[in-house]
Amino acid sequence: MSKTQVKLMEEWETINWRKVECKVFKLQKRIYQASRSGNVKVLRRLQKTLINSWKAKLLAVRKVTQDNQGKRTPGVDGILIKTGKKRMEMAKKLKIDGKAKPLRRIWIPKPGRTEKRGLGIPTIEDRAKQTLIKLAMEPEWEAKMEPNSYGFRPGRSTQDAIHHIWRATKSNKWVLDADIEKCFDQIDHNKLLDKIKVAPTIRKQIKAWLKAGVLDQNVFNDTNTGTPQGGTISPLLANIALEGMAELIKKAFPYKNRNSSFLPYKERGEIFNTPVFIRYADDFVIIHENKKVIEDSIPLINEWLNEIGLKLKPSKTHIRNLSDGFDFLGFNIKEYKRKGQKSIRLITPSKKAVEKHASELNRIVNKYKSCPQGKLINELNKTIRGWTNYYRTQVSAKIFSRLKNQLYYLLWSWAMATCPRTGKKKLRRKYWQQDGENKWRFATMNGDKLGVKLFQHTDVKIIRHMPLKTSKSPYDGD
């Protein structure tokens, strides 16, 4: 190895990432403030500074080669960056030049369906460029984004969207639950580029990515619509394309006080509230007290979507009453009537989500039938922890308890299959141990102490989510 290569490796290993992140974040805060104040000249100058910043380039390379899940997935060139020397070389060469290589098409199965979703994987260099431009564009759009949009945005989560729905359904009983068909694949390029309104250098680069084409099993296809689903900037571009839907509903159904003139939905002397619009990526709900308002919003939304090359998916667009319940982001929101008492709204894990999780537990137990107990426990713990943490903010205690019991029977079947000639008492002593007050903890023994132990669903306590203030952003400096 040459002295230059050793020096590059040492340079990468000795980078103070805390300082790098702080420097980039300071620039992002200034971009956010310039966007909020409408100072376009300062905004463009700061974005140019960030894109040319050495620290921003380092951060972009680290994200795509070390942090992101797709770091081991190559593009059409087959190149992966795995060493500090190569990462440093990429950072030094990284430049927004308006060029892009074709995407590599891979197909992944959609959960619970036979059909597959196509992903367009850019090269690792293009992903680094996309991340660099995203670092500059995201603060600008965070200052403009509608407050009721939650998907693929920093500092926001599905729990924030669900909490907003819970508040909105307090007085509104009708819901339009809708999904946009092939959102990432059908967005009109010209409409999207016109909407972005960025500096010419950035526009040229984004256009190059949109028009780069796709290589599917060595067959090249042009990309005339859609954003490259699989690229790091793709979620931001999709959010920008869908920006304005909430404003459309607000203008179509404006708030009217008691003194307003006659409305088609209310008479004089009655308050008319604007429908509540909540969007998470390409899924959204519209909530209102009047069913006619919900029905009239569908053609408006469809007309607006048609202008950018999109449309609603009929099979996933439904008008529902809260008493019937509806599913959104893996949760079920429903109003339950009680005799002699007020009705109550509950948000629980949806039936599909519970069935899918139970099926996954069954798959893991069957897959590791001939493996040591410790390995089985480690695999189960990953799945159980992730699933319970996602649903711990809502009414999930009974479902957690039911899943714990179902898993117990699965594990008992696993134990009998592993040791078919062993009696039940010996099986119990071998695989289930005393853990405090819990006499039935599925765990290994390490001498006299417990080794690897199963994380049970009921170990998670229900903790209500602290909602996000919709006017806040990570870039506002608060």
Side-chain angles (χ1 to χ4, degrees):
M1 188 180 289
S2 68
K3 290 183 178 180
T4 306
Q5 290 176 327
V6 172
K7 187 179 178 182
L8 288 172
M9 285 187 69
E10 288 176 351
E11 281 180 10
W12 185 266
E13 298 297 333
T14 56
I15 291 171
N16 187 331
W17 290 109
R18 177 67 179 164
K19 282 188 177 180
V20 169
E21 289 170 349
C22 285
K23 182 69 176 178
V24 173
F25 185 68
K26 281 181 180 179
L27 274 172
Q28 288 181 311
K29 279 202 300 183
R30 292 175 66 190
I31 290 169
Y32 177 88
Q33 289 161 1
S35 181
R36 283 295 291 262
S37 61
N39 195 334
V40 179
K41 189 176 180 180
V42 173
L43 171 66
R44 298 290 173 250
R45 179 172 56 79
L46 289 169
Q47 285 181 327
K48 184 179 178 181
T49 303
L50 191 144
I51 287 172
N52 293 322
S53 164
W54 169 240
K55 288 184 170 59
K57 290 178 181 180
L58 287 173
L59 189 60
V61 171
R62 193 191 75 167
K63 282 179 180 290
V64 298
T65 61
Q66 288 184 281
D67 298 345
N68 293 355
Q69 287 184 347
K71 61 189 175 185
R72 296 185 185 91
T73 308
V76 291
D77 56 4
I79 294 173
L80 286 177
I81 307 296
K82 296 182 179 180
T83 64
K85 176 182 81 73
K86 288 186 177 179
R87 290 180 186 122
M88 188 61 76
E89 286 175 352
M90 174 180 270
K92 288 184 176 181
K93 292 177 182 176
L94 199 62
K95 185 180 179 182
I96 305 304
D97 54 8
K99 298 177 182 178
K101 290 183 180 177
L103 309 171
R104 183 170 74 92
R105 176 72 78 204
I106 61 171
W107 298 91
I108 59 171
K110 289 187 177 181
R113 298 184 222 167
T114 54
E115 58 183 307
K116 293 185 177 182
R117 175 188 286 114
L119 294 183
I121 308 299
T123 63
I124 201 81
E125 184 184 355
D126 280 334
R127 272 177 270 170
K129 289 181 187 177
Q130 289 182 14
T131 305
L132 185 60
I133 286 183
K134 185 183 176 184
L135 289 173
M137 283 182 59
E138 193 171 63
E140 175 195 354
W141 280 93
E142 276 299 302
K144 302 176 186 177
M145 285 279 183
E146 292 164 338
N148 297 349
S149 165
Y150 293 95
F152 301 121
R153 291 182 62 187
R156 292 169 179 250
S157 66
T158 53
Q159 278 72 24
D160 291 313
I162 293 299
H163 183 85
H164 194 164
I165 289 173
W166 184 81
R167 282 186 298 161
T169 51
K170 185 176 182 180
S171 56
N172 301 300
K173 307 303 178 187
W174 288 99
V175 179
L176 171 67
D177 174 20
D179 181 27
I180 300 168
E181 187 171 6
K182 296 181 180 178
C183 177
F184 284 87
D185 299 329
Q186 301 295 333
I187 293 172
D188 185 279
H189 288 172
N190 293 328
K191 295 287 185 182
L192 175 60
L193 290 168
D194 290 342
K195 200 170 186 179
I196 290 174
K197 293 179 182 176
V198 287
T201 308
I202 300 176
R203 179 188 169 89
K204 186 181 177 182
Q205 185 65 69
I206 292 174
K207 188 176 181 179
W209 288 323
L210 295 175
K211 302 292 185 183
V214 177
L215 203 62
D216 188 358
Q217 296 179 349
N218 295 323
V219 178
F220 181 81
N221 297 304
D222 291 324
T223 48
N224 298 315
T225 58
T227 60
Q229 192 175 0
T232 56
I233 202 171
S234 197
L236 175 61
L237 295 179
N239 266 338
I240 292 170
L242 297 174
E243 180 69 12
M245 295 174 73
E247 189 63 27
L248 171 76
I249 295 299
K250 188 177 179 180
K251 286 181 179 178
F253 306 100
Y255 169 82
K256 297 288 184 180
N257 60 28
R258 295 182 187 277
N259 299 321
S260 301
S261 57
F262 173 79
L263 289 167
Y265 312 104
K266 287 279 186 179
E267 293 183 6
R268 189 180 181 87
E270 294 181 313
I271 292 174
F272 178 85
N273 290 309
T274 300
V276 178
F277 180 93
I278 299 164
R279 180 173 65 84
Y280 191 94
D282 57 346
D283 295 331
F284 66 89
V285 292
I286 299 176
I287 305 169
H288 199 259
E289 60 183 329
N290 193 318
K291 186 180 180 181
K292 185 73 166 56
V293 172
I294 300 295
E295 290 171 343
D296 290 350
S297 67
I298 296 176
L300 288 171
I301 291 289
N302 252 327
E303 185 181 348
W304 188 89
L305 288 172
N306 286 337
E307 292 178 3
I308 56 172
L310 300 175
K311 62 179 180 179
L312 293 176
K313 192 170 186 176
S315 61
K316 288 191 173 182
T317 301
H318 309 282
I319 296 175
R320 303 187 190 277
N321 190 281
L322 197 59
S323 59
D324 299 323
F326 68 98
D327 292 347
F328 191 68
L329 303 176
F331 292 90
N332 178 261
I333 302 97
K334 187 175 180 179
E335 185 176 69
Y336 296 86
K337 293 180 180 178
R338 300 181 295 177
K339 282 189 177 180
Q341 295 180 344
K342 286 184 178 180
S343 57
I344 185 172
R345 289 164 296 131
L346 296 181
I347 299 178
T348 59
S350 68
K351 187 178 178 181
K352 283 184 181 178
V354 174
E355 289 175 353
K356 183 183 174 184
H357 179 61
S359 177
E360 177 64 10
L361 294 177
N362 192 20
R363 185 194 67 79
I364 292 171
V365 172
N366 287 330
K367 181 181 177 181
Y368 291 90
K369 251 181 184 175
S370 57
C371 292
Q373 184 187 12
K375 191 169 184 179
L376 171 64
I377 291 172
N378 284 331
E379 289 300 315
L380 287 171
N381 283 352
K382 292 176 191 175
T383 301
I384 295 169
R385 282 182 188 276
W387 197 86
T388 51
N389 283 335
Y390 183 79
Y391 290 102
R392 72 185 300 173
T393 59
Q394 305 302 331
V395 185
S396 308
K398 285 185 178 179
I399 291 173
F400 285 176
S401 180
R402 194 175 81 216
L403 287 166
K404 172 194 167 184
N405 294 335
Q406 288 179 8
L407 182 57
Y408 164 78
Y409 289 110
L410 282 175
L411 294 175
W412 189 257
S413 299
W414 175 88
M416 289 194 294
T418 306
C419 304
R421 297 179 184 177
T422 307
K424 289 185 177 180
K425 287 186 178 179
K426 285 187 177 180
L427 279 180
R428 185 248 185 272
R429 287 196 297 270
K430 183 176 181 180
Y431 294 115
W432 280 269
Q433 315 300 335
Q434 176 93 25
D435 181 23
E437 295 181 1
N438 188 349
K439 296 180 181 179
W440 287 84
R441 175 73 71 177
F442 190 71
T444 61
M445 290 298 293
N446 186 8
D448 296 332
K449 297 181 180 179
L450 285 179
V452 184
K453 59 183 182 179
L454 180 71
F455 182 83
Q456 296 176 324
H457 292 80
T458 50
D459 290 340
V460 171
K461 303 303 176 188
I462 304 301
I463 300 173
R464 297 298 172 214
H465 177 68
M466 290 296 291
L468 169 84
K469 287 185 178 180
T470 53
S471 60
K472 292 294 178 183
S473 168
Y475 300 115
D476 64 6
D478 185 358

